[in-house]
Amino acid sequence: MTGRLHQLHVEYAPAEDRILLKFNTVDRQELRFWLTRKFVKTFWDQLQILLADVGRAGTQSDPAAKKAMVGFEQEKAAPSERFAQPFEDDPATFPLGDKPLLVTGFSYTPPKRSGSAGRGGIGRIAFETESGHEVGLPANAVLLHSLSKMLIDINPRTGWDLKLTPGYSLGEEPARPARMH
């Protein structure tokens, strides 16, 4: 991707039983990707591991505190009002074509670490597609939290029955507070 990232958008396509993930740039390039349930399951767990290492969550030694901090930081980094603006659907170009590419994997390169363990720096996330493309994006905490929040928000429309909770991998449940008698 050559332009600076401008917006992200997800929508569920029932006929495909897939999530359509779109990115656009300030110079009006648009990239489109299909995310399958299988991919989202793998991606979600890895995304939560990444989020546990960025920002204040990365400074927590207690696993429960780290998970809670991921949820808190997600609300701060990706507030609901950030997603209220409609996606600008008027691309000038589609560098990879106008048909969505099927995402089959991803990789993450952390920011260069210097002194303060690189927290808050810019890493890189790359989506690998079935057609052999690898599309990289600069990935800071805001982008990672935004992807997490978007997956949580679209999940009820998919019918996939995935339990997506910030800070928790699939199958993990937040601890319930003890009941007072």
Side-chain angles (χ1 to χ4, degrees):
M1 193 161 82
T2 58
R4 199 176 90 229
L5 186 62
H6 177 58
Q7 287 182 308
L8 303 169
H9 177 75
V10 294
E11 59 191 67
Y12 179 64
E16 299 285 340
D17 193 26
R18 295 177 179 174
I19 294 172
L20 177 61
L21 171 64
K22 298 192 288 190
F23 296 94
N24 67 21
T25 63
V26 293
D27 58 350
R28 297 181 44 228
Q29 294 181 53
E30 186 174 299
L31 302 170
R32 298 175 174 181
F33 302 98
W34 285 125
L35 307 181
T36 62
R37 181 180 190 274
K38 180 180 177 180
F39 173 78
V40 169
K41 286 176 69 174
T42 303
F43 181 63
W44 178 262
D45 288 351
Q46 294 302 308
L47 181 58
Q48 298 315 301
I49 291 168
L50 292 174
L51 290 171
D53 286 337
V54 298
R56 291 181 49 205
T59 65
Q60 303 296 317
S61 58
D62 176 47
K66 186 179 284 265
K67 290 173 187 303
M69 187 60 68
V70 169
F72 173 75
E73 287 191 328
Q74 183 163 296
E75 282 304 312
K76 209 168 81 178
S80 295
E81 57 269 13
R82 173 171 286 159
F83 302 103
Q85 182 180 17
F87 185 75
E88 295 172 14
D89 220 354
D90 64 337
T93 63
F94 295 95
L96 299 175
D98 63 345
K99 303 284 186 252
L101 300 175
L102 180 63
V103 176
T104 56
F106 75 99
S107 60
Y108 176 75
T109 305
K112 300 271 188 267
R113 298 192 180 250
S114 61
S116 65
R119 293 190 196 342
I122 304 287
R124 179 180 182 270
I125 192 165
F127 290 104
E128 301 153 6
T129 70
E130 182 180 52
S131 58
H133 290 91
E134 182 180 276
V135 179
L137 301 167
N140 60 14
V142 171
L143 175 77
L144 297 174
H145 278 294
S146 294
L147 284 168
S148 177
K149 173 90 169 113
M150 294 174 99
L151 289 173
I152 289 169
D153 290 350
I154 197 75
N155 185 49
R157 287 177 248 157
T158 66
W160 292 350
D161 195 31
L162 300 177
K163 307 259 187 288
L164 305 182
T165 305
Y168 293 84
S169 62
L170 289 172
E172 274 189 305
E173 300 261 342
R176 301 205 188 270
R179 290 182 8 164
M180 302 297 279
H181 295 288

